[in-house]
Amino acid sequence: DGGITQSPKYLFRKEGQNVTMSCEQNLNHDAMYWYRQDPGQGLRLIYYSQIVNDFQKGDIAEGYSVSREKKESFPLTVTSAQKNPTAFYLCASSIFGDTEAFFGQGTRLTVV
Amino acid sequence: KQEVTQIPAALSVPEGENLVLNCSFTDSAIYNLQWFRQDPGKGLTSLLLIQSSQREQTSGRLNASLDKSSGRSTLYIAASQPGDSATYLCHLVVSPSGTYKYIFGTGTRLKVLA
């Protein structure tokens, strides 16, 4: 089945720790995205990538890092610099930057 | 700065009603507008995509229209069902200065009562 897979579904982070969540797609899409969703604040763009080995900051990139070494993979690392990381994280992909986007099922990150 | 507002923020209706959800935006220079639904704790499901050159799209009981001149898109849901209960989000792709910007609306939380 073609689609976008995010893992893990739940992720826990201790203070000062970096954590990484995975996003894999088998749709052969060039563009991939990471969004953060907070209750009452809607979805905000963290990073996006239009092509392999290239990515751009979104509206709230501070405290996050990404890599795009393979077309099908776009992992997101939440660093210790992100002081309020508890949120629902959604990954998306599209054929190109201005075409229909498809989303994964999300990763819920909690600070313990 | 592009702002995307959805009205109403929440809506509760009896089953069978026809519904109109609104998405308003401030900049008409958009590439496309996409409507999604989100069930609690889940990812987003794509409903309809309207390209900048199109006026509307239809899928089953759903119809979405786009009026760039007035900065507005509407999602029409015919004969609503309890299974339509979800949050509905509009999403814009714009390019104000040569690079893409991706903006979600504030969302409409819909509850259809049986």
Side-chain angles (χ1 to χ4, degrees), chain A residues 9 33 35 37 43 45 48 50 59 88 90 97-101 103-105 108, chain B residues 31-32 34 36 38 41-44 46 49 51 89 91 93 99-102 104:
Chain A
K9 189 173 181 180
Y33 316 83
Y35 289 89
Q37 187 174 35
L43 286 108
L45 183 66
Y48 67 101
Q50 303 287 359
D59 300 317
F88 190 48
L90 287 160
D98 59 352
T99 57
E100 185 176 11
F103 280 76
Q105 288 303 303
R108 188 167 300 280
Chain B
Y31 277 95
N32 67 53
Q34 191 169 357
F36 292 91
Q38 184 178 30
K42 304 291 186 183
L44 275 63
S46 178
L49 172 75
Q51 299 287 1
L89 296 155
H91 176 254
V93 179
T99 57
Y100 291 125
K101 289 190 73 68
Y102 303 91
F104 270 96

Side-chain angles (χ1 to χ4, degrees), chain A residues 9-77:
Chain A
K9 189 173 181 180
Y10 300 98
L11 186 57
F12 299 92
R13 192 192 94 164
K14 295 180 181 178
E15 295 287 345
Q17 190 179 46
N18 293 355
V19 291
T20 297
M21 57 190 78
S22 166
C23 179
E24 304 277 330
Q25 53 98 1
N26 60 4
L27 301 168
N28 200 32
H29 286 174
D30 279 321
M32 296 186 74
Y33 316 83
W34 275 107
Y35 289 89
R36 169 179 171 146
Q37 187 174 35
D38 296 277
Q41 288 205 42
L43 286 108
R44 294 176 290 170
L45 183 66
I46 305 172
Y47 269 98
Y48 67 101
S49 169
Q50 303 287 359
I51 198 167
V52 175
N53 293 322
D54 186 53
F55 48 82
Q56 285 80 40
K57 293 181 179 180
D59 300 317
I60 54 165
E62 186 175 348
Y64 300 97
S65 67
V66 293
S67 63
R68 187 82 188 279
E69 297 176 0
K70 298 187 296 182
K71 187 176 186 177
E72 58 270 24
S73 178
F74 192 40
L76 175 73
T77 296

Side-chain angles (χ1 to χ4, degrees), chain B:
Chain B
K1 179 185 174 186
Q2 177 75 267
E3 293 187 357
V4 184
T5 305
Q6 290 186 244
I7 295 172
L11 186 60
S12 184
V13 299
E15 182 177 8
E17 281 205 4
N18 299 326
L19 307 171
V20 176
L21 308 183
N22 296 293
C23 172
S24 298
F25 46 92
T26 53
D27 188 344
S28 62
I30 65 172
Y31 277 95
N32 67 53
L33 188 146
Q34 191 169 357
W35 283 93
F36 292 91
R37 71 172 276 169
Q38 184 178 30
D39 295 288
K42 304 291 186 183
L44 275 63
T45 300
S46 178
L47 298 173
L48 291 164
L49 172 75
I50 311 177
Q51 299 287 1
S52 176
S53 59
Q54 298 173 322
R55 291 292 299 237
E56 66 177 328
Q57 286 285 343
T58 298
S59 176
R61 294 182 295 109
L62 304 179
N63 174 277
S65 65
L66 175 64
D67 184 344
K68 291 190 296 179
S69 61
S70 66
R72 184 169 153 174
S73 175
T74 59
L75 178 67
Y76 178 82
I77 303 175
S80 59
Q81 302 171 356
D84 294 330
S85 298
T87 296
Y88 290 80
L89 296 155
C90 62
H91 176 254
L92 272 67
V93 179
V94 300
S95 182
S97 55
T99 57
Y100 291 125
K101 289 190 73 68
Y102 303 91
I103 309 165
F104 270 96
T106 48
T108 293
R109 199 165 55 253
L110 172 64
K111 187 167 186 178
V112 181
L113 306 170

